[in-house]
Amino acid sequence: MIENMFNSSRFLVFITILICIFAAIAIYVSTISIVFHLFLDLFSGLPTSADDGKRLAVKLLKILDTLLIALTFQIIAISLYRLFIKKNSTEKSLFLRVLNISNFHDLKVTLLHVSIVILTILFLEQAVEIGAAIESLYFGGAIALVIFAVVYAARQMSERS
């Protein structure tokens, strides 16, 4: 009975892996389409003012943000597969070795670090789009608090392992 529960839980992990793979692929494909159309727009009319250049920068930052989210799904999918489905290949995986992921705890810490980068890019988008406004200060303060909490949590998790 316990073995059946374990096998079915492995199946649920596999479903999670498939969903993450499909999500990453969908985001990558949509990002390719967005970049293609951005280049078409860019070649039809190059930015001629600083404001147009800022709008282009914001669009590119948003694309980078989207790609980081897709990469996060990819990291989750590969890590879950290597950690729960095909355990013995974790040491052989160059992907997991580069990211320093050898267990589920390391995956959580890596995802926390990626979230910090995504939040930083989100603030950059806001700062370029809005400029030096009080809303940017509030938004930056809120993001700083979240990043502080994430760094604190990551350090606490690292000290426990």
Side-chain angles (χ1 to χ4, degrees):
M1 170 133 173
I2 293 177
E3 186 175 329
N4 286 338
M5 287 174 50
F6 177 73
N7 287 335
S8 64
S9 67
R10 257 187 163 174
F11 178 72
L12 294 176
V13 171
F14 192 70
I15 289 173
T16 304
I17 292 167
L18 287 176
I19 290 170
C20 287
I21 289 170
F22 289 135
I25 290 170
I27 295 170
Y28 283 133
V29 169
S30 67
T31 304
I32 290 170
S33 172
I34 292 167
V35 169
F36 177 74
H37 287 93
L38 179 70
F39 280 126
L40 287 179
D41 291 343
L42 185 63
F43 288 127
S44 67
L46 290 173
T48 57
S49 69
D51 287 337
D52 291 343
K54 282 184 179 181
R55 279 190 220 101
L56 177 63
V58 168
K59 287 179 185 178
L60 292 172
L61 282 171
K62 287 181 180 185
I63 289 169
L64 179 60
D65 193 31
T66 306
L67 286 172
L68 283 173
I69 293 169
L71 182 61
T72 303
F73 279 110
Q74 184 180 350
I75 290 170
I76 292 169
I78 292 171
S79 299
L80 290 177
Y81 179 78
R82 297 291 186 178
L83 293 172
F84 294 105
I85 304 298
K86 199 172 181 185
K87 290 182 181 184
N88 60 354
S89 66
T90 303
E91 303 85 33
K92 299 174 190 172
S93 172
L94 181 62
F95 185 81
L96 295 180
R97 234 186 1 237
V98 167
L99 292 174
N100 199 20
I101 298 174
S102 59
N103 55 41
F104 190 66
H105 172 76
D106 293 340
L107 173 61
K108 291 188 295 186
V109 171
T110 300
L111 293 177
L112 287 174
H113 292 153
V114 171
S115 69
I116 290 172
V117 174
I118 291 171
L119 286 171
T120 304
I121 291 173
L122 194 61
F123 174 72
L124 283 173
E125 290 173 18
Q126 171 85 5
V128 170
E129 206 170 314
I130 304 285
I134 193 72
E135 293 86 12
S136 294
L137 178 65
Y138 294 149
F139 189 66
I143 285 182
L145 285 173
V146 171
I147 289 175
F148 176 76
V150 167
V151 168
Y152 179 78
R155 283 200 179 142
Q156 293 297 318
M157 289 181 358
S158 294
E159 289 176 4
R160 288 184 189 160
S161 62

